[in-house]
Amino acid sequence: MTSKPSKPIMLFDCKTSQSVIGKNKIMNALEKILDHGAYCQGPETRELDEKLANYSGTKFCATCGSGTDALTLALMAWGVKPGDAVFVSSFTFVSSAEAPVLLGATPIFVDSDPNTYTMDPKDLQRAIDEVKKEGKLNLKAVIPVDIFGSPCNYDEILKIAHDNGMKVLADSCQSYGSVYKGKKAGSFADMSATSFYPTKPLGCYGDGGAVFTNSSEENELVKSCRVHGMSPEDHYDNVRLGLTGRMNSFQGAVLLQKLTVFDQELKDRFRVAKRYDNELDSYFGKQQILDNCQSAYALYTINCADRDELMSYLKENGIPCGVYYPRPVNTQTAYAKWNTRPLPVCEKLSKTALSIPMTPYLDNEDLDYIIRVMNEFAAKKKVKAA
């Protein structure tokens, strides 16, 4: 019998890396900013741009204020506007639909694959055919989401999008550090956006994001749009519409330090996921990762028909868990007028999906306990069903 761990189990752990990196290193990096005084988009963010582009294997990276900013800036660079159709995932956080709506475009919601939970290429094709048949919107872009850190089926999505004259913006906000057939997040699609919110695999100490591209023109447009559409030649001439999307130097400094432990943290996330994969009872459905791909495991998410009962059981036993996401975006109040397509898989996942503790700093004692408690629940449900 495995006893309850002596310390609290965390669903996320945004703090332990401070001691792993060394708090003095972080404080010294922040003090340098206080000394040079370039608080917004300073030398730290420029260094981070270069290191992230190198890490992802892209020519350019432009850091910005958040993952939502990253999505919006990328669409701005593509000139997304009213009358455009942007095909978006629905079983996810709202940002990937919010960004095109803010630019006046129409979100077309696409269902999820029941095994990977990511955008279903077959339903994407159906949605495109429906929009083409209606003939009212211009096909513009697709935003698939690497939900919980797992890459989408980019081979199929890119082919479908390109065959229909559209570009693909990868929403890698949960998946930085993931790998798709030898390519790292940031390099999967025509452009990619990521988030550095504290709970993400690579997280800062506030909000932060980045846009990745191999096009110098797109990179320059993103950099202009993140500062109100400013001209690079004349800072008092705003040559296009933009927003305030800069990353502050303090977050850049934090991320430079976090990068020093990032690869090890990814290995430890994989260690945790492997134990869950191998030892959790088959009563729990597990998110499938595509062949030749590696999830960044921002979250480890199972699905269970008795989700709410399981959630109560885990919390009673000191195991935190979370429902991501209880309402698909197409069913939310602000998006109801675009809720025009049936999305049965999204609806089902919203009622069955449950995320359990996933941090690089879960030890064997933690994992033994979590797995034992979950398997006890499964065993009880099986006995009742017999």
Side-chain angles (χ1 to χ4, degrees):
M1 178 69 72
T2 304
S3 59
K4 188 174 181 178
S6 55
K7 62 184 185 303
I9 295 172
M10 309 291 286
L11 180 59
F12 302 104
D13 187 348
C14 306
K15 189 175 180 182
T16 300
S17 63
Q18 291 180 21
S19 58
V20 174
I21 296 167
K23 203 168 184 178
N24 286 341
K25 288 183 179 179
I26 297 171
M27 294 306 297
N28 288 340
L30 299 179
E31 286 176 2
K32 285 182 181 178
I33 299 169
L34 296 177
D35 290 339
H36 66 56
Y39 305 131
C40 287
Q41 219 74 53
E44 289 77 12
T45 60
R46 292 193 292 274
E47 181 183 351
L48 183 63
D49 286 347
E50 184 176 343
K51 288 191 172 180
L52 291 174
N54 289 338
Y55 188 90
S56 290
T58 59
K59 291 182 180 178
F60 304 102
C61 170
T63 47
C64 57
S66 69
T68 307
D69 282 350
L71 291 162
T72 307
L73 289 166
L75 295 179
M76 283 179 141
W78 285 344
V80 170
K81 61 187 183 303
D84 290 340
V86 179
F87 297 82
V88 298
S89 299
S90 186
F91 181 64
T92 184
F93 189 64
V94 70
S95 293
S96 50
E98 182 178 37
V101 169
L102 288 173
L103 299 178
T106 299
I108 308 297
F109 291 102
V110 179
D111 210 358
S112 297
D113 180 280
N115 299 310
T116 65
Y117 312 163
T118 58
M119 181 180 280
D120 180 359
K122 292 178 182 177
D123 194 55
L124 171 62
Q125 184 64 66
R126 285 192 291 269
I128 292 169
D129 292 342
E130 290 165 11
V131 172
K132 288 169 73 173
K133 184 177 180 180
E134 190 173 45
K136 294 180 179 178
L137 297 171
N138 173 49
L139 302 181
K140 189 66 176 184
V142 180
I143 309 179
V145 178
D146 301 333
I147 197 71
F148 308 134
S150 180
C152 299
N153 189 336
Y154 282 100
D155 286 353
E156 291 192 26
I157 290 171
L158 283 163
K159 183 179 188 311
I160 291 168
H162 292 169
D163 285 350
N164 286 278
M166 291 186 289
K167 292 187 176 183
V168 175
L169 170 59
D171 182 336
S172 300
C173 288
Q174 297 181 9
S175 67
Y176 199 69
S178 64
V179 179
Y180 180 80
K181 299 184 178 181
K183 294 182 177 181
K184 289 187 176 181
S187 64
F188 299 160
D190 298 307
M191 273 204 280
S192 298
T194 198
S195 168
F196 303 120
Y197 187 75
T199 57
K200 299 299 191 286
L202 180 62
C204 55
Y205 294 164
D207 283 305
V211 182
F212 298 86
T213 179
N214 287 314
S215 163
S216 59
E217 179 183 0
E218 288 175 348
N219 186 57
E220 290 305 314
L221 286 168
V222 167
K223 291 196 296 184
S224 170
C225 288
R226 77 181 174 189
V227 194
H228 305 285
M230 183 184 294
S231 166
E233 290 82 24
D234 182 352
H235 290 185
Y236 290 97
D237 183 14
N238 297 297
V239 294
R240 58 185 59 85
L241 294 179
L243 48 81
T244 304
R246 294 175 291 244
M247 173 180 279
N248 72 64
S249 302
F250 295 97
Q251 303 304 340
V254 168
L255 287 165
L256 288 171
Q257 294 300 317
K258 293 289 288 290
L259 272 173
T260 64
V261 300
F262 186 46
D263 281 337
Q264 183 59 52
E265 288 188 339
L266 288 171
K267 290 177 183 176
D268 285 324
R269 287 179 182 274
F270 182 72
R271 168 185 58 82
V272 172
K274 191 172 182 180
R275 284 208 59 188
Y276 286 152
D277 286 344
N278 293 337
E279 298 178 41
L280 282 178
D281 194 283
S282 59
Y283 181 80
F284 307 111
K286 304 179 182 79
Q287 183 185 20
Q288 293 182 13
I289 312 303
L290 293 171
D291 291 343
N292 301 315
C293 296
Q294 174 61 60
S295 176
Y297 290 108
L299 288 163
Y300 190 94
T301 303
I302 56 99
N303 68 77
C304 177
D306 305 294
R307 193 264 309 279
D308 293 347
E309 188 179 346
L310 171 62
M311 184 164 51
S312 296
Y313 187 80
L314 293 178
K315 290 182 177 179
E316 286 169 9
N317 285 277
I319 299 173
C321 51
V323 176
Y324 304 96
Y325 295 87
R327 293 188 66 175
V329 180
N330 64 298
T331 69
Q332 295 176 24
T333 303
Y335 297 85
K337 67 180 178 180
W338 296 293
N339 185 16
T340 58
R341 309 184 65 247
L343 306 179
V345 177
C346 288
E347 290 283 355
K348 184 176 180 180
L349 286 171
S350 71
K351 296 176 176 64
T352 61
L354 184 69
S355 297
I356 61 176
M358 169 50 79
T359 88
Y361 301 107
L362 289 168
D363 59 25
N364 284 332
E365 181 186 25
D366 298 324
L367 293 171
D368 289 343
Y369 180 71
I370 294 166
I371 292 165
R372 176 176 68 80
V373 170
M374 291 189 68
N375 287 348
E376 283 177 353
F377 177 89
K380 289 177 182 177
K381 299 303 292 187
K382 287 179 176 179
V383 168
K384 284 185 178 180

